[in-house]
Amino acid sequence: ATKAIRRKAGDVNLDTATLSKHPSIQLLSQQKGNALLVTKLERTKLLPELSLMYNNMTMKGTGSDNILYTSSTRFQSAQIGVGIPLFFGAQKAKINAGRINERIADNNYQIALQEIQQEYFSAFVRYSSLSRSVDYFETVGLKNAELISATASKQFTEGEINYVEWNMLNNQAVSIQNDYYDLLRSLNQSIIQLNYLSAK
């Protein structure tokens, strides 16, 4: 039996810092930032509001002061205003609600990050265990299966064993190979899981 092609894990290691780049974690991080911006916006509504207005117009004809104005005469005016908020209670409640939303968003982010770190750790432990098992089969198990099959064929040809014994030995060799392929499939699935969690 020949070795199957093993999917490469890339740089599979237990670097949990890369987990913060996972799209679901990035989304929660963005929600955290949005909650902070909403609170800042509500805080700015407590500040005095400045307004500046400028008008520029012309008038043609006789004005109320009995003077004849032509289209080249321009009238200009400016107005400056300061708006001071008088009722702070409702706005302070909105600011407090914004702070609570900030804490909720931060908690959601921290919980999701811990969950993905635990999931990554579990997948990494599974990957390590499966990798060791596949390595064993590639170095020892598959060679044993080939040896069992070759020995059974030789003994059957020389008449040392009957067909039933030959069949049992070959089934044992095939079972070893099937176990190897099952482990290899599980290993590749664990690598896919690790790559998904680390957003690769």
Side-chain angles (χ1 to χ4, degrees):
T2 56
K3 293 181 188 177
I5 297 173
R6 187 194 301 195
R7 176 186 281 273
K8 292 190 176 181
D11 57 348
V12 174
N13 57 28
L14 204 52
D15 180 18
T16 55
T18 59
L19 297 179
S20 62
K21 295 177 184 172
H22 192 272
S24 64
I25 301 300
Q26 289 289 322
L27 177 64
L28 290 171
S29 176
Q30 189 174 19
Q31 288 174 353
K32 205 169 106 169
N34 289 347
L36 180 65
L37 291 175
V38 167
T39 304
K40 285 184 178 180
L41 175 66
E42 294 300 333
R43 268 195 214 123
T44 60
K45 292 180 181 177
L46 287 176
L47 298 174
E49 198 175 299
L50 298 174
S51 63
L52 176 65
M53 194 168 27
Y54 172 75
N55 291 321
N56 187 355
M57 64 180 212
T58 62
M59 187 162 90
K60 192 174 183 184
T62 305
S64 61
D65 55 0
N66 289 330
I67 298 176
L68 180 64
Y69 295 102
T70 63
S71 60
S72 62
T73 307
R74 305 209 53 86
F75 295 93
Q76 300 172 359
S77 65
Q79 184 178 3
I80 297 175
V82 177
I84 300 172
L86 297 176
F87 304 105
F88 297 105
Q91 197 57 39
K92 285 189 177 183
K94 288 181 183 179
I95 292 170
N96 289 336
R99 288 182 183 141
I100 291 170
N101 284 337
E102 280 180 54
R103 286 195 292 271
I104 290 170
D106 186 51
N107 286 342
N108 289 341
Y109 173 82
Q110 296 300 330
I111 289 169
L113 190 59
Q114 286 177 355
E115 285 175 353
I116 201 168
Q117 285 173 344
Q118 289 171 352
E119 194 176 341
Y120 186 87
F121 179 75
S122 175
F124 184 79
V125 169
R126 179 170 163 71
Y127 162 79
S128 298
S129 173
L130 289 168
S131 185
R132 284 191 299 273
S133 297
V134 167
D135 288 342
Y136 165 78
F137 272 93
E138 289 179 348
T139 56
V140 177
L142 293 177
K143 290 178 184 176
N144 288 345
E146 287 178 13
L147 182 62
I148 290 169
S149 183
T151 303
S153 294
K154 182 180 177 188
Q155 288 177 340
F156 180 70
T157 304
E158 294 174 356
E160 296 176 18
I161 60 173
N162 62 27
Y163 176 76
V164 174
E165 292 170 323
W166 174 83
N167 191 33
M168 285 175 43
L169 290 170
N170 272 327
N171 283 343
Q172 186 180 2
V174 169
S175 177
I176 291 171
Q177 292 170 345
N178 285 340
D179 289 345
Y180 166 71
Y181 289 120
D182 287 342
L183 280 170
L184 191 64
R185 180 179 50 79
S186 296
L187 176 66
N188 286 335
Q189 287 174 343
S190 72
I191 292 169
I192 290 167
Q193 179 72 7
L194 284 171
N195 287 338
Y196 164 74
L197 292 171
S198 58
K200 291 183 182 175

